[in-house]
Amino acid sequence: MNVLVLNSGSSSQKSCLYQIEGSLPEQPPACAWEGKIEWADGKAEYSIKNAHGGSQKGQAATSDRGEGIEGLLRSLWSGGTQVVSGPSDVDVVGHRVVHGGPHYFEPAVVTAEVRSAIERASAFAPLHSRSELQGMEIVAKLLGTVKQVAVFDTGFHRTMALSASTYPGPYEWFEQGIRRYGFHGINHQYCAERAPQLLGRLDDEKLNSFKVVSCHLGNGCSLAAIRDGHSVDTTMGFTPLEGLMMGTRSGSVDPGIVTYLMRQKKLSGEQLDDMLNKKSGLLGISGISSDMREILAATKNGAEPSKQMRAKLALDIYVHRLQSGIGAMGAVLGGLDALVFTAGVGENSPEVRAAVCENLGFLGVRLDQEKNSRLPLGKDVDQDISAKDAGVRVLMIHAQEDWMIARACWNLTQS
Ligand code: ADP
């Protein structure tokens, strides 16, 4: 079965094709084809490759998202990265949908009703929802009536208790759907399943109380507290802005700052949105970059002193917020069996993992410094990087959102 996955960001489009023969494999297989476009300054940077060694990279002088995505998808059946003979060879298409709104949590076949639920939820996440709906339209245009499936990033957190998902504002908020939804659920769920598998504890009878804190640290960052495979709390809320410090997002700040800036500085909603989502976080504090690699490099000796000071402050805030968030999640769970690091920073930065774990000895966290710094060992190697006798297993798990979406598609085509 050929399963195509579309993962839309506000300024990027990632996509991959899985070829699943027979039954569903236990481990995520490699993509038969994968492509990515990033838009910046009126240009599109694209890179596409297939499992047979075909690849193409380049820049297209178009800021038109639709054109870019169509070009990307056509390379599935034409040119040097071809893997299928035509559009009709694609059996099902899965979309990562950031926000399912108050009614959609389980993966769903895209119907007119599901589409309008996503449209309604676009009031909560306008940038993402627009790209997702556009992706669905383009697929319908190029692939006709192929089955399309929406997999919601909010879905995994549907099990949070009302005490964790309700904001202590006026009760009307709750009635209006203003509540904590949480995001990154597709990957947090993968980590919740992968952690006991990696530790060889899938048959463990005590697994029904297995407690995991998963740290998804990419451009966006969030924690999830997971008990018995279910989300009981998370740091993102009504939007993906709440919680940890991120690449360009502030994470949680005193809402009084927002009302102060509106009153005293006459900032508009759009200006505040832009400030909190695009000009804050690592970028806002360092003034250098939203990319953790550049922040870490600027903290080293030899960097310009004023840049170094701000980069160090950015890193210190990032780590401080992570430590306090992990402590809070541990308290909600009443203890911790495994701490998982995943996504760009979590998978690739021994320095950040070591800094975060440094203060968590009270929870039983202790890293094996050598194992931690030897990583990454390989693209797909998940690892236990904790000291042998530590009370908590610290795991590095590669994010597998696309595979989770493909799996949901496969399941929905079996019924
Ligand atoms: P997204 O959230 O867009 O899916 P990723 O999960 O790929 O992104 O994470 C991207 C981030 O990962 C980059 O912005 C960068 O900060 C970080 N990153 C990638 N490689 C490294 C590395 N070797 N060291 C530190 N950070 C890294």
Side-chain angles (χ1 to χ4, degrees):
M1 177 183 290
N2 288 319
V3 185
L4 176 65
V5 174
L6 264 74
N7 191 335
S8 314
S10 51
S11 59
S12 70
Q13 176 69 57
K14 295 180 198 165
S15 187
C16 75
L17 184 93
Y18 290 99
Q19 294 185 315
I20 306 172
E21 309 292 342
S23 59
L24 204 60
E26 220 172 83
Q27 294 296 321
C31 296
W33 168 98
E34 57 189 313
K36 183 177 181 184
I37 311 185
E38 278 178 328
W39 287 274
D41 309 324
K43 289 189 207 109
E45 294 263 359
Y46 64 89
S47 65
I48 308 170
K49 61 180 180 184
N50 69 14
H52 315 299
S55 69
Q56 46 173 318
K57 257 182 188 201
Q59 215 178 54
T62 173
S63 55
D64 188 287
R65 268 191 78 92
E67 237 175 75
I69 299 170
E70 279 193 32
L72 189 71
L73 296 186
R74 283 185 204 282
S75 77
L76 274 165
W77 55 83
S78 58
T81 55
Q82 177 181 2
V83 276
V84 293
S85 47
S88 60
D89 283 356
V90 176
D91 298 297
V92 56
V93 182
H95 299 266
R96 173 179 172 217
V97 176
V98 166
H99 214 309
H103 304 299
Y104 279 90
F105 295 101
E106 299 290 344
V109 173
V110 176
T111 57
E113 198 185 316
V114 169
R115 215 183 292 256
S116 55
I118 298 169
E119 256 160 34
R120 283 195 300 277
S122 74
F124 302 153
L127 287 179
H128 282 100
S129 307
R130 228 175 290 139
S131 322
E132 291 149 5
L133 289 164
Q134 185 187 27
M136 290 172 196
E137 271 166 37
I138 292 171
V139 167
K141 179 176 155 194
L142 293 184
L143 309 184
T145 55
V146 67
K147 186 179 262 188
Q148 299 197 51
V149 171
V151 184
F152 302 101
D153 233 356
T154 43
F156 180 56
H157 302 295
R158 68 189 172 282
T159 49
M160 285 198 297
L162 285 177
S163 53
S165 65
T166 311
Y167 286 107
Y171 189 72
E172 292 83 72
W173 283 8
F174 180 70
E175 292 173 320
Q176 291 163 18
I178 302 175
R179 39 156 289 200
R180 305 189 66 248
Y181 292 96
F183 299 86
H184 290 146
I186 300 170
N187 191 46
H188 283 308
Q189 181 173 1
Y190 176 75
C191 293
E193 293 175 15
R194 180 73 179 125
Q197 187 190 43
L198 189 61
L199 295 170
R201 291 186 57 177
L202 278 180
D203 300 323
D204 195 329
E205 290 204 343
K206 279 189 272 163
L207 208 56
N208 60 9
S209 59
F210 195 65
K211 298 169 190 138
V212 179
V213 171
S214 153
C215 312
H216 180 111
L217 309 177
N219 285 312
C221 302
S222 73
L223 302 177
I226 300 159
R227 185 188 295 120
D228 183 21
H230 301 295
S231 172
V232 298
D233 204 355
T234 189
T235 52
M236 284 180 168
F238 178 56
T239 72
L241 184 55
E242 191 179 340
L244 300 173
M245 179 187 196
M246 313 183 208
T248 61
R249 283 173 250 170
S250 62
S252 294
V253 295
D254 179 351
I257 298 171
V258 175
T259 49
Y260 165 83
L261 290 171
M262 287 169 85
R263 263 197 331 268
Q264 301 296 323
K265 308 281 177 189
K266 308 290 177 228
L267 292 193
S268 66
E270 281 79 39
Q271 286 171 312
L272 286 163
D273 232 13
D274 188 58
M275 195 177 262
L276 294 167
N277 280 296
K278 302 206 178 121
K279 301 203 168 96
S280 298
L282 292 174
L283 174 67
I285 296 295
S286 70
I288 298 169
S289 170
S290 61
D291 191 318
M292 183 55 90
R293 285 166 288 201
E294 292 188 39
I295 302 298
L296 289 168
T299 61
K300 307 281 186 287
N301 289 337
E304 193 196 303
S306 68
K307 279 193 174 173
Q308 190 184 41
M309 186 281 287
R310 282 176 60 175
K312 276 188 173 159
L313 178 60
L315 180 64
D316 288 349
I317 303 171
Y318 187 91
V319 169
H320 170 80
R321 293 213 156 198
L322 260 165
Q323 287 173 336
S324 64
I326 293 167
M329 293 289 148
V332 166
L333 289 170
L336 194 56
D337 294 306
L339 178 66
V340 174
F341 287 97
T342 182
V345 179
E347 291 165 26
N348 296 299
S349 178
E351 206 169 331
V352 171
R353 289 193 298 259
V356 171
C357 290
E358 203 174 273
N359 259 358
L360 302 181
F362 78 101
L363 280 171
V365 171
R366 202 153 59 80
L367 277 180
D368 178 321
Q369 296 299 347
E370 205 207 317
K371 279 189 184 162
N372 179 47
S373 53
R374 230 187 315 130
L375 288 165
L377 291 175
K379 195 171 173 291
D380 301 315
V381 187
D382 298 334
Q383 286 271 310
D384 180 348
I385 52 173
S386 42
K388 238 187 185 151
D389 56 350
V392 170
R393 309 323 300 161
V394 181
L395 309 176
M396 193 284 287
I397 295 180
H398 287 276
Q400 290 288 354
E401 278 163 349
D402 291 348
W403 172 241
M404 289 295 276
I405 296 167
R407 219 177 64 171
C409 290
W410 194 87
N411 287 334
L412 276 173
T413 49
Q414 302 306 299
S415 45

